Amino acid sequence: MEIVFLTRVHVAKMKSKQKSATSATHSIQELKKLLTVAEDLQGSKKSDKQRNKKCRGRPLGDPFYLCYNKFMKISDCLKAQKEKLKNAGKEERDAEVVLSCLMQKSIGEVLAKKDDELNSKCEKQCQKIIDRRISKNEPICKIMGIKNFYGRDFMVNKHVLSPRQCTESLVEAVLIRIKERIKNVGAASPCSPGSHSDATPTTIKILDIGTGSGILAITLAKELETFKNIEVKMVATDISKKALKVAKKNAKLHGVNIDFRISDIFESINEKFDVIVSNPPYISEYEFDNELEPEVKNHDPKLALVGEESGYYFYERIINRSIHYLKPGGLLAFEVGHKQSGLVHAWMSQKNFKDVTIRKDYNAIERVVLGYHRD
Ligand SMILES: C[S@@+](CC[C@H](N)C(=O)[O-])C[C@H]1O[C@@H](n2cnc3c(N)ncnc32)[C@H](O)[C@@H]1O
C-alpha cells in the first residue's frame, strides 16, 4: 500500500533523477509498473484504456498520476497550487477561491480546515483549473462561472464583464447618497430588528445603464431592501441580449424584481428616475489594441470594454441626455477609468450638475464621479 502514498517529493525526486540520467524512460516504466502494482493491491487493475479515461487524457507516463491519492491535505494542495500561480505571476489567492468553490465552503472555512484531507477528485479539479488559469490567462471567475461582489455570489460567463472589486466603490457611493436623502426627507428608517414605521413608503426609481451581469442593480436593490419604507423600482438596461440573460438569472438567484430592458443607452427608456447609475465601457480603442492584459482582452466581451475611439463616448452621451431621464435633483453616478475622473467631472459641472464629487476606490484610484442634477 505504501506505493499509493507516494508524495510529490518522491515523484519530484524521481523526475529530477530522470532529467539527469540517460535512462529517463526507465523511470517512467518503473512508475507505470508501480501504478499497476498499486492498483492490483487495491483490487482495481485497469486496462490502459480505462486508466487513460480516468486520467481524462493524462498520458500514462505522467508520474504525477501516482500523486492523486486520497490523502493529500488541503494545506498541501493550496501550497502546491499557490506556488504554481506565484511562478506564473498570478494572484496566489486564486487557489483559495478555487478550493472554496469546489468544496462549497467559504475561504475562511477552507483555511480553518487546512489540516483535513482533501479528496482526490477535488485536488485533481483544483489542479486542472489552476493550470487553465495559467495557460490560458483565464480569470478564475470565468472558469468557475461565479464571482463574489459586495458579499454576494453572481453567475458570470463569457458574455458579461467579470465583476471588479473597484465597482464596489460605486455601490458604496450611491448607497451613501441614497441613505442621506432618505434621512433628509425622513421617509424611512433602517430596518433594525423589531423596528416598524407606519409611514407611507417612498418610491425610489433607479436606472442601471449597461447592467452586464446585473451586479449594480441587484446589489443596490438588495442593500435597499433593509429600508422598510423605501420601495425601490429598478430598471436595468443592456444592449447585449446574452448579458441580460445572465443578469436575469442573477436577479432570480437573489430574489429581486428588476425590469430588465434591451436598450442602446436610453433607447427603451421613457420615464424619469431618482438615480441613474452606470459603469459603462470606458476603454479607448488604442488601449484595447495595445495595452490591455490578456486576462481582460481575451475573456471579457469587447462590447463591455470599449467606449468607442476615445473611451469617453458613454459618459458624453449619458451626461448630455440624462436631463430627459432624471427627476429634478436626481443623482447621476458613474464608475470611471483610470485618469478619466477630471474630464467627466468637468462635463458634469458644465452640464447643469451640482455637488459633483470624485471618490476613490480601495486602491486610492479616482473611480467614481457623481452629482445631482440642478432643479
Ligand atoms: C463595463 S460593463 C459593466 C457591466 C456591469 N454593470 C458591471 O459593473 O460589472 C458595460 C456594459 O455595458 C453594455 N453596453 C455596451 N454598449 C451599450 C449600449 N450602447 N447601451 C447599453 N449598454 C451597453 C455592455 O454589454 C456591458 O454589459
Side-chain angles (χ1 to χ4, degrees), residues 87-114:
N87 292 340
K90 310 286 181 212
E91 285 253 348
E92 289 176 54
R93 198 172 176 270
D94 280 354
E96 291 168 9
V97 175
V98 173
L99 267 194
S100 118
C101 279
L102 291 174
M103 295 169 69
Q104 297 185 1
K105 293 191 188 312
S106 71
I107 292 178
E109 283 171 318
V110 171
L111 296 178
K113 289 177 181 292
K114 67 181 188 332

PDB file of all heavy atoms in Angstrom, residues 87-114:
ATOM      1  N   ASN A  87       4.703  31.476  -9.464  1.00  0.00           N
ATOM      2  CA  ASN A  87       5.715  31.381 -10.516  1.00  0.00           C
ATOM      3  C   ASN A  87       5.214  31.926 -11.846  1.00  0.00           C
ATOM      4  O   ASN A  87       5.998  32.372 -12.681  1.00  0.00           O
ATOM      5  CB  ASN A  87       6.169  29.927 -10.702  1.00  0.00           C
ATOM      6  CG  ASN A  87       6.950  29.450  -9.483  1.00  0.00           C
ATOM      7  OD1 ASN A  87       7.450  30.260  -8.711  1.00  0.00           O
ATOM      8  ND2 ASN A  87       7.009  28.134  -9.285  1.00  0.00           N
ATOM      9  N   ALA A  88       3.896  31.856 -12.027  1.00  0.00           N
ATOM     10  CA  ALA A  88       3.327  32.357 -13.284  1.00  0.00           C
ATOM     11  C   ALA A  88       2.933  33.832 -13.175  1.00  0.00           C
ATOM     12  O   ALA A  88       2.365  34.402 -14.108  1.00  0.00           O
ATOM     13  CB  ALA A  88       2.110  31.515 -13.658  1.00  0.00           C
ATOM     14  N   GLY A  89       3.224  34.431 -12.025  1.00  0.00           N
ATOM     15  CA  GLY A  89       2.917  35.857 -11.838  1.00  0.00           C
ATOM     16  C   GLY A  89       1.435  36.124 -11.624  1.00  0.00           C
ATOM     17  O   GLY A  89       0.936  37.208 -11.918  1.00  0.00           O
ATOM     18  N   LYS A  90       0.700  35.124 -11.146  1.00  0.00           N
ATOM     19  CA  LYS A  90      -0.745  35.315 -10.903  1.00  0.00           C
ATOM     20  C   LYS A  90      -1.011  35.415  -9.410  1.00  0.00           C
ATOM     21  O   LYS A  90      -0.185  35.020  -8.591  1.00  0.00           O
ATOM     22  CB  LYS A  90      -1.552  34.119 -11.451  1.00  0.00           C
ATOM     23  CG  LYS A  90      -1.238  33.738 -12.878  1.00  0.00           C
ATOM     24  CD  LYS A  90      -1.826  34.717 -13.846  1.00  0.00           C
ATOM     25  CE  LYS A  90      -1.535  34.326 -15.272  1.00  0.00           C
ATOM     26  NZ  LYS A  90      -1.395  35.464 -16.163  1.00  0.00           N
ATOM     27  N   GLU A  91      -2.207  35.869  -9.094  1.00  0.00           N
ATOM     28  CA  GLU A  91      -2.627  36.004  -7.688  1.00  0.00           C
ATOM     29  C   GLU A  91      -2.672  34.648  -6.999  1.00  0.00           C
ATOM     30  O   GLU A  91      -3.432  33.768  -7.439  1.00  0.00           O
ATOM     31  CB  GLU A  91      -4.036  36.582  -7.633  1.00  0.00           C
ATOM     32  CG  GLU A  91      -4.123  38.036  -7.933  1.00  0.00           C
ATOM     33  CD  GLU A  91      -4.400  38.845  -6.677  1.00  0.00           C
ATOM     34  OE1 GLU A  91      -4.732  38.261  -5.647  1.00  0.00           O
ATOM     35  OE2 GLU A  91      -4.257  40.073  -6.764  1.00  0.00           O
ATOM     36  N   GLU A  92      -1.895  34.498  -5.922  1.00  0.00           N
ATOM     37  CA  GLU A  92      -1.882  33.215  -5.217  1.00  0.00           C
ATOM     38  C   GLU A  92      -3.246  32.892  -4.586  1.00  0.00           C
ATOM     39  O   GLU A  92      -3.624  31.746  -4.436  1.00  0.00           O
ATOM     40  CB  GLU A  92      -0.832  33.239  -4.112  1.00  0.00           C
ATOM     41  CG  GLU A  92       0.581  33.208  -4.636  1.00  0.00           C
ATOM     42  CD  GLU A  92       1.590  33.319  -3.526  1.00  0.00           C
ATOM     43  OE1 GLU A  92       1.523  32.521  -2.581  1.00  0.00           O
ATOM     44  OE2 GLU A  92       2.447  34.223  -3.604  1.00  0.00           O
ATOM     45  N   ARG A  93      -3.972  33.949  -4.266  1.00  0.00           N
ATOM     46  CA  ARG A  93      -5.261  33.772  -3.591  1.00  0.00           C
ATOM     47  C   ARG A  93      -6.261  32.993  -4.455  1.00  0.00           C
ATOM     48  O   ARG A  93      -7.221  32.423  -3.945  1.00  0.00           O
ATOM     49  CB  ARG A  93      -5.815  35.159  -3.230  1.00  0.00           C
ATOM     50  CG  ARG A  93      -6.873  35.121  -2.193  1.00  0.00           C
ATOM     51  CD  ARG A  93      -7.235  36.520  -1.729  1.00  0.00           C
ATOM     52  NE  ARG A  93      -8.343  36.441  -0.787  1.00  0.00           N
ATOM     53  CZ  ARG A  93      -9.602  36.490  -1.156  1.00  0.00           C
ATOM     54  NH1 ARG A  93      -9.916  36.613  -2.427  1.00  0.00           N
ATOM     55  NH2 ARG A  93     -10.559  36.401  -0.253  1.00  0.00           N
ATOM     56  N   ASP A  94      -6.007  32.978  -5.762  1.00  0.00           N
ATOM     57  CA  ASP A  94      -6.900  32.239  -6.666  1.00  0.00           C
ATOM     58  C   ASP A  94      -7.049  30.773  -6.231  1.00  0.00           C
ATOM     59  O   ASP A  94      -8.108  30.177  -6.394  1.00  0.00           O
ATOM     60  CB  ASP A  94      -6.371  32.281  -8.109  1.00  0.00           C
ATOM     61  CG  ASP A  94      -6.714  33.613  -8.792  1.00  0.00           C
ATOM     62  OD1 ASP A  94      -7.448  34.409  -8.175  1.00  0.00           O
ATOM     63  OD2 ASP A  94      -6.246  33.841  -9.910  1.00  0.00           O
ATOM     64  N   ALA A  95      -5.974  30.207  -5.677  1.00  0.00           N
ATOM     65  CA  ALA A  95      -6.033  28.798  -5.253  1.00  0.00           C
ATOM     66  C   ALA A  95      -7.085  28.630  -4.148  1.00  0.00           C
ATOM     67  O   ALA A  95      -7.837  27.648  -4.139  1.00  0.00           O
ATOM     68  CB  ALA A  95      -4.658  28.342  -4.759  1.00  0.00           C
ATOM     69  N   GLU A  96      -7.134  29.614  -3.261  1.00  0.00           N
ATOM     70  CA  GLU A  96      -8.131  29.550  -2.171  1.00  0.00           C
ATOM     71  C   GLU A  96      -9.546  29.690  -2.729  1.00  0.00           C
ATOM     72  O   GLU A  96     -10.462  28.988  -2.310  1.00  0.00           O
ATOM     73  CB  GLU A  96      -7.874  30.670  -1.160  1.00  0.00           C
ATOM     74  CG  GLU A  96      -6.590  30.463  -0.377  1.00  0.00           C
ATOM     75  CD  GLU A  96      -6.177  31.702   0.416  1.00  0.00           C
ATOM     76  OE1 GLU A  96      -6.961  32.664   0.489  1.00  0.00           O
ATOM     77  OE2 GLU A  96      -5.053  31.704   0.949  1.00  0.00           O
ATOM     78  N   VAL A  97      -9.683  30.591  -3.709  1.00  0.00           N
ATOM     79  CA  VAL A  97     -11.010  30.804  -4.317  1.00  0.00           C
ATOM     80  C   VAL A  97     -11.487  29.504  -4.971  1.00  0.00           C
ATOM     81  O   VAL A  97     -12.642  29.091  -4.810  1.00  0.00           O
ATOM     82  CB  VAL A  97     -10.954  31.960  -5.361  1.00  0.00           C
ATOM     83  CG1 VAL A  97     -12.282  32.115  -6.076  1.00  0.00           C
ATOM     84  CG2 VAL A  97     -10.563  33.264  -4.684  1.00  0.00           C
ATOM     85  N   VAL A  98     -10.582  28.859  -5.689  1.00  0.00           N
ATOM     86  CA  VAL A  98     -10.961  27.626  -6.391  1.00  0.00           C
ATOM     87  C   VAL A  98     -11.383  26.544  -5.391  1.00  0.00           C
ATOM     88  O   VAL A  98     -12.447  25.942  -5.526  1.00  0.00           O
ATOM     89  CB  VAL A  98      -9.785  27.110  -7.271  1.00  0.00           C
ATOM     90  CG1 VAL A  98     -10.107  25.751  -7.852  1.00  0.00           C
ATOM     91  CG2 VAL A  98      -9.500  28.099  -8.389  1.00  0.00           C
ATOM     92  N   LEU A  99     -10.557  26.339  -4.380  1.00  0.00           N
ATOM     93  CA  LEU A  99     -10.916  25.294  -3.405  1.00  0.00           C
ATOM     94  C   LEU A  99     -12.215  25.632  -2.680  1.00  0.00           C
ATOM     95  O   LEU A  99     -13.042  24.754  -2.438  1.00  0.00           O
ATOM     96  CB  LEU A  99      -9.795  25.100  -2.382  1.00  0.00           C
ATOM     97  CG  LEU A  99      -8.767  24.024  -2.704  1.00  0.00           C
ATOM     98  CD1 LEU A  99      -7.926  23.695  -1.477  1.00  0.00           C
ATOM     99  CD2 LEU A  99      -9.387  22.743  -3.239  1.00  0.00           C
ATOM    100  N   SER A 100     -12.386  26.895  -2.396  1.00  0.00           N
ATOM    101  CA  SER A 100     -13.627  27.272  -1.699  1.00  0.00           C
ATOM    102  C   SER A 100     -14.847  26.980  -2.576  1.00  0.00           C
ATOM    103  O   SER A 100     -15.866  26.506  -2.098  1.00  0.00           O
ATOM    104  CB  SER A 100     -13.542  28.725  -1.236  1.00  0.00           C
ATOM    105  OG  SER A 100     -14.498  29.534  -1.819  1.00  0.00           O
ATOM    106  N   CYS A 101     -14.720  27.238  -3.883  1.00  0.00           N
ATOM    107  CA  CYS A 101     -15.836  26.931  -4.796  1.00  0.00           C
ATOM    108  C   CYS A 101     -16.047  25.419  -4.885  1.00  0.00           C
ATOM    109  O   CYS A 101     -17.178  24.937  -4.782  1.00  0.00           O
ATOM    110  CB  CYS A 101     -15.533  27.429  -6.206  1.00  0.00           C
ATOM    111  SG  CYS A 101     -15.854  29.148  -6.440  1.00  0.00           S
ATOM    112  N   LEU A 102     -14.944  24.690  -5.068  1.00  0.00           N
ATOM    113  CA  LEU A 102     -15.063  23.240  -5.249  1.00  0.00           C
ATOM    114  C   LEU A 102     -15.624  22.569  -3.996  1.00  0.00           C
ATOM    115  O   LEU A 102     -16.408  21.626  -4.075  1.00  0.00           O
ATOM    116  CB  LEU A 102     -13.699  22.619  -5.587  1.00  0.00           C
ATOM    117  CG  LEU A 102     -13.112  22.974  -6.955  1.00  0.00           C
ATOM    118  CD1 LEU A 102     -11.700  22.417  -7.088  1.00  0.00           C
ATOM    119  CD2 LEU A 102     -13.985  22.438  -8.081  1.00  0.00           C
ATOM    120  N   MET A 103     -15.192  23.076  -2.838  1.00  0.00           N
ATOM    121  CA  MET A 103     -15.643  22.451  -1.595  1.00  0.00           C
ATOM    122  C   MET A 103     -16.960  23.055  -1.099  1.00  0.00           C
ATOM    123  O   MET A 103     -17.505  22.614  -0.091  1.00  0.00           O
ATOM    124  CB  MET A 103     -14.561  22.625  -0.508  1.00  0.00           C
ATOM    125  CG  MET A 103     -13.276  21.890  -0.836  1.00  0.00           C
ATOM    126  SD  MET A 103     -11.938  22.354   0.284  1.00  0.00           S
ATOM    127  CE  MET A 103     -12.502  21.641   1.817  1.00  0.00           C
ATOM    128  N   GLN A 104     -17.422  24.069  -1.827  1.00  0.00           N
ATOM    129  CA  GLN A 104     -18.653  24.780  -1.456  1.00  0.00           C
ATOM    130  C   GLN A 104     -18.618  25.252  -0.008  1.00  0.00           C
ATOM    131  O   GLN A 104     -19.549  25.055   0.768  1.00  0.00           O
ATOM    132  CB  GLN A 104     -19.866  23.902  -1.741  1.00  0.00           C
ATOM    133  CG  GLN A 104     -19.976  23.611  -3.217  1.00  0.00           C
ATOM    134  CD  GLN A 104     -21.219  22.848  -3.591  1.00  0.00           C
ATOM    135  OE1 GLN A 104     -22.044  22.531  -2.751  1.00  0.00           O
ATOM    136  NE2 GLN A 104     -21.359  22.550  -4.859  1.00  0.00           N
ATOM    137  N   LYS A 105     -17.469  25.851   0.318  1.00  0.00           N
ATOM    138  CA  LYS A 105     -17.297  26.430   1.654  1.00  0.00           C
ATOM    139  C   LYS A 105     -16.673  27.808   1.481  1.00  0.00           C
ATOM    140  O   LYS A 105     -16.076  28.083   0.441  1.00  0.00           O
ATOM    141  CB  LYS A 105     -16.351  25.568   2.497  1.00  0.00           C
ATOM    142  CG  LYS A 105     -16.920  24.201   2.841  1.00  0.00           C
ATOM    143  CD  LYS A 105     -16.055  23.543   3.883  1.00  0.00           C
ATOM    144  CE  LYS A 105     -16.432  22.101   4.152  1.00  0.00           C
ATOM    145  NZ  LYS A 105     -17.823  21.808   4.358  1.00  0.00           N
ATOM    146  N   SER A 106     -16.776  28.650   2.507  1.00  0.00           N
ATOM    147  CA  SER A 106     -16.145  29.965   2.392  1.00  0.00           C
ATOM    148  C   SER A 106     -14.626  29.774   2.490  1.00  0.00           C
ATOM    149  O   SER A 106     -14.153  28.740   2.992  1.00  0.00           O
ATOM    150  CB  SER A 106     -16.621  30.877   3.521  1.00  0.00           C
ATOM    151  OG  SER A 106     -16.066  30.427   4.738  1.00  0.00           O
ATOM    152  N   ILE A 107     -13.885  30.793   2.043  1.00  0.00           N
ATOM    153  CA  ILE A 107     -12.421  30.689   2.119  1.00  0.00           C
ATOM    154  C   ILE A 107     -11.989  30.512   3.574  1.00  0.00           C
ATOM    155  O   ILE A 107     -11.111  29.707   3.880  1.00  0.00           O
ATOM    156  CB  ILE A 107     -11.761  31.931   1.476  1.00  0.00           C
ATOM    157  CG1 ILE A 107     -12.011  31.907  -0.045  1.00  0.00           C
ATOM    158  CG2 ILE A 107     -10.263  31.982   1.769  1.00  0.00           C
ATOM    159  CD1 ILE A 107     -11.457  33.078  -0.813  1.00  0.00           C
ATOM    160  N   GLY A 108     -12.647  31.214   4.465  1.00  0.00           N
ATOM    161  CA  GLY A 108     -12.335  31.102   5.900  1.00  0.00           C
ATOM    162  C   GLY A 108     -12.497  29.667   6.388  1.00  0.00           C
ATOM    163  O   GLY A 108     -11.647  29.149   7.108  1.00  0.00           O
ATOM    164  N   GLU A 109     -13.582  29.034   5.955  1.00  0.00           N
ATOM    165  CA  GLU A 109     -13.830  27.646   6.381  1.00  0.00           C
ATOM    166  C   GLU A 109     -12.773  26.700   5.812  1.00  0.00           C
ATOM    167  O   GLU A 109     -12.292  25.797   6.492  1.00  0.00           O
ATOM    168  CB  GLU A 109     -15.213  27.191   5.907  1.00  0.00           C
ATOM    169  CG  GLU A 109     -16.356  27.733   6.736  1.00  0.00           C
ATOM    170  CD  GLU A 109     -17.715  27.447   6.118  1.00  0.00           C
ATOM    171  OE1 GLU A 109     -17.858  27.585   4.890  1.00  0.00           O
ATOM    172  OE2 GLU A 109     -18.624  27.084   6.864  1.00  0.00           O
ATOM    173  N   VAL A 110     -12.390  26.961   4.541  1.00  0.00           N
ATOM    174  CA  VAL A 110     -11.374  26.113   3.912  1.00  0.00           C
ATOM    175  C   VAL A 110     -10.064  26.235   4.693  1.00  0.00           C
ATOM    176  O   VAL A 110      -9.426  25.232   5.025  1.00  0.00           O
ATOM    177  CB  VAL A 110     -11.162  26.509   2.423  1.00  0.00           C
ATOM    178  CG1 VAL A 110      -9.963  25.783   1.832  1.00  0.00           C
ATOM    179  CG2 VAL A 110     -12.410  26.225   1.604  1.00  0.00           C
ATOM    180  N   LEU A 111      -9.685  27.472   5.010  1.00  0.00           N
ATOM    181  CA  LEU A 111      -8.412  27.684   5.712  1.00  0.00           C
ATOM    182  C   LEU A 111      -8.451  27.110   7.127  1.00  0.00           C
ATOM    183  O   LEU A 111      -7.455  26.582   7.628  1.00  0.00           O
ATOM    184  CB  LEU A 111      -8.051  29.171   5.744  1.00  0.00           C
ATOM    185  CG  LEU A 111      -7.787  29.789   4.358  1.00  0.00           C
ATOM    186  CD1 LEU A 111      -7.492  31.275   4.475  1.00  0.00           C
ATOM    187  CD2 LEU A 111      -6.648  29.085   3.629  1.00  0.00           C
ATOM    188  N   ALA A 112      -9.620  27.179   7.737  1.00  0.00           N
ATOM    189  CA  ALA A 112      -9.747  26.633   9.087  1.00  0.00           C
ATOM    190  C   ALA A 112      -9.593  25.109   9.078  1.00  0.00           C
ATOM    191  O   ALA A 112      -9.231  24.509  10.087  1.00  0.00           O
ATOM    192  CB  ALA A 112     -11.095  27.023   9.679  1.00  0.00           C
ATOM    193  N   LYS A 113      -9.861  24.509   7.922  1.00  0.00           N
ATOM    194  CA  LYS A 113      -9.781  23.046   7.833  1.00  0.00           C
ATOM    195  C   LYS A 113      -8.535  22.611   7.083  1.00  0.00           C
ATOM    196  O   LYS A 113      -8.501  21.530   6.495  1.00  0.00           O
ATOM    197  CB  LYS A 113     -11.025  22.522   7.106  1.00  0.00           C
ATOM    198  CG  LYS A 113     -12.304  22.624   7.912  1.00  0.00           C
ATOM    199  CD  LYS A 113     -13.484  22.150   7.088  1.00  0.00           C
ATOM    200  CE  LYS A 113     -14.767  22.254   7.866  1.00  0.00           C
ATOM    201  NZ  LYS A 113     -14.902  21.351   8.993  1.00  0.00           N
ATOM    202  N   LYS A 114      -7.526  23.446   7.070  1.00  0.00           N
ATOM    203  CA  LYS A 114      -6.384  23.171   6.193  1.00  0.00           C
ATOM    204  C   LYS A 114      -5.639  21.865   6.497  1.00  0.00           C
ATOM    205  O   LYS A 114      -4.971  21.329   5.628  1.00  0.00           O
ATOM    206  CB  LYS A 114      -5.424  24.359   6.155  1.00  0.00           C
ATOM    207  CG  LYS A 114      -4.685  24.666   7.436  1.00  0.00           C
ATOM    208  CD  LYS A 114      -3.831  25.884   7.181  1.00  0.00           C
ATOM    209  CE  LYS A 114      -2.873  26.254   8.253  1.00  0.00           C
ATOM    210  NZ  LYS A 114      -3.121  25.939   9.625  1.00  0.00           N
TER     211      LYS A 114
END
